[in-house]
């Protein structure tokens, strides 16, 4: 499934990294601990988090993640947006809290 | 081939630069993907440790035919009890660092797990030297 389909089906905002919307997703990862994501997330996963600072993008890039979803209407920092555009890794947003969006993403991905 | 970088303590905006550069070079050299992933995890954690705890530091990565040797050396407070610091979940990070999602006590265990050799030497009040070796498959 492409990131663009997630955006469409889950009604996500696209904050940045539009050029990366055709990335293929390979599952999801949910964590707000950066070392956990660094150590355990896998290439192509979509990362759901409440962290909005630019180190999120450093990790998304180092781990070759497909996209980042920010929960509960949180807004990315300006340098997060810049980094996302540089790396072509989309930063997406939702009004839903983590539990809700993770559940919907899981369901959609495993359909 | 040798790559060197400077790290400034407290500067989270540039955390990840050395790992990103090393990743690029290793990919160009066609080092296998799994090994690159391990190295990137270990180096990123080492970088963040310098940023989160030390005043300043350097990364030097020496790439040979069959291995990469990375030295991360800092001027900083040092680690009084390395064995304790290696324990998963043990952390001395500040609240500010923890609020960013760092400082969960997973950094050193991640470094151990993702390197073939890890050596840490530290002098309290002076700094810490980390040596990490990964062999290419």
């Amino acid at each position: 499934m492409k990131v663009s389909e997630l955006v469409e089906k889950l009604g996500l905002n696209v904050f940045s990294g539009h050029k990366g919307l055709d990335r293929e997703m390979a599952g999801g990862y949910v964590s707000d601990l950066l070392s956990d994501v660094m150590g355990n997330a896998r290439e192509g996963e979509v990362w759901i988090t409440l962290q909005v600072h630019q180190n999120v993008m450093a990790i998304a890039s180092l781990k070759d993640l497909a996209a980042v979803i920010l929960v509960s209407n949180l807004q990315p920092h300006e340098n997060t947006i810049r980094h996302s555009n540089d790396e072509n890794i989309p930063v997406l947003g939702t009004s839903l809290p983590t539990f809700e969006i993770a559940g919907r993403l899981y369901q959609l991905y495993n359909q | 081939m040798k790559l060197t970088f400077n790290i400034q303590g407290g500067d989270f905006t540039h955390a990840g630069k050395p790992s990103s550069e090393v990743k690029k070079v290793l990919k160009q050299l066609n080092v296998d993907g799994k090994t690159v992933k391990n190295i990137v995890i270990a180096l990123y954690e080492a970088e963040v440790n310098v940023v989160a705890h030390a005043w300043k530091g350097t990364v030097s990565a020496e790439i040979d035919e069959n291995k990469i040797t990375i030295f991360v050396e800092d001027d900083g407070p040092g680690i009084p009890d390395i064995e304790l610091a290696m324990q998963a979940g043990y952390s001395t990070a500040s609240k500010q660092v923890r609020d960013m999602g760092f400082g969960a006590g997973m950094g050193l265990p991640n470094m151990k797990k993702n390197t073939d050799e890890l050596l840490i030497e530290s002098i309290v009040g002076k700094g810490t030297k980390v040596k990490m070796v990964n062999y290419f498959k």
Side-chain angles (χ1 to χ4, degrees):
Chain A
M1 191 186 311
K2 286 195 190 303
V3 173
S4 55
E5 288 176 68
L6 293 186
V7 169
E8 193 193 318
K9 290 183 174 151
L10 299 175
L12 306 172
N13 301 325
V14 182
F15 290 116
S16 54
H18 292 77
K19 285 183 188 158
L21 286 172
D22 58 351
R23 282 173 179 266
E24 248 342 286
M25 79 169 274
Y29 200 80
V30 182
S31 185
D32 302 317
L33 293 179
L34 304 194
S35 284
D36 175 36
V37 179
M38 204 57 215
N40 301 312
R42 283 170 301 194
E43 190 172 340
E45 287 183 335
V46 171
W47 174 18
I48 299 173
T49 185
L50 52 66
Q51 298 290 353
V52 296
H53 53 83
Q54 68 165 354
N55 296 277
V56 165
M57 289 318 300
I59 288 174
S61 159
L62 288 168
K63 299 293 287 184
D64 298 308
L65 301 181
V68 177
I69 301 178
L70 306 182
V71 299
S72 305
N73 280 326
L74 289 164
Q75 305 286 312
H77 289 172
E78 211 167 290
N79 41 23
T80 307
I81 291 175
R82 205 175 314 128
H83 202 156
S84 157
N85 287 328
D86 289 347
E87 300 286 344
N88 297 327
I89 299 176
V91 175
L92 313 171
T94 177
S95 59
L96 298 173
T98 304
F99 179 70
E100 301 281 337
I101 191 68
R104 290 184 197 193
L105 179 65
Y106 182 86
Q107 203 169 22
L108 183 64
Y109 183 69
N110 288 293
Q111 256 175 21
Chain B
M1 186 192 297
K2 191 172 168 182
L3 304 164
T4 57
F5 309 89
N6 292 314
I7 307 176
Q8 205 55 47
D11 179 13
F12 277 97
T13 56
H14 292 102
K17 282 255 163 79
S19 335
S20 178
E21 286 302 314
V22 167
K23 180 185 171 189
K24 257 182 241 166
V25 169
L26 293 175
K27 284 198 154 180
Q28 278 164 5
L29 294 170
N30 282 322
V31 174
D32 82 287
K34 177 84 180 96
T35 307
V36 176
K37 286 187 171 79
N38 290 340
I39 293 163
V40 165
I41 293 170
L43 177 53
Y44 182 77
E45 294 290 5
E47 272 184 64
V48 167
N49 280 345
V50 175
V51 174
H53 297 284
W55 308 308
K56 62 175 182 175
T58 57
V59 171
S60 89
E62 294 172 25
I63 303 171
D64 304 317
E65 210 166 297
N66 65 335
K67 69 176 193 297
I68 179 168
T69 309
I70 300 174
F71 297 92
V72 182
E73 305 190 1
D74 70 53
D75 295 344
I79 305 171
D81 185 339
I82 294 176
E83 207 180 313
L84 182 60
M86 290 301 297
Q87 283 180 17
Y90 180 83
S91 176
T92 59
S94 65
K95 182 177 185 308
Q96 185 211 350
V97 168
R98 286 171 195 256
D99 284 348
M100 291 175 79
F102 294 113
M106 300 175 75
L108 289 172
N110 265 356
M111 286 159 63
K112 179 84 187 159
K113 210 185 302 174
N114 288 283
T115 48
D116 294 317
E117 292 167 26
L118 172 68
L119 195 74
I120 302 173
E121 288 174 359
S122 193
I123 300 172
V124 172
K126 201 149 182 271
T128 301
K129 292 181 181 182
V130 172
K131 179 188 178 191
M132 303 184 284
V133 184
N134 284 71
Y135 294 93
F136 304 149
K137 307 287 182 293

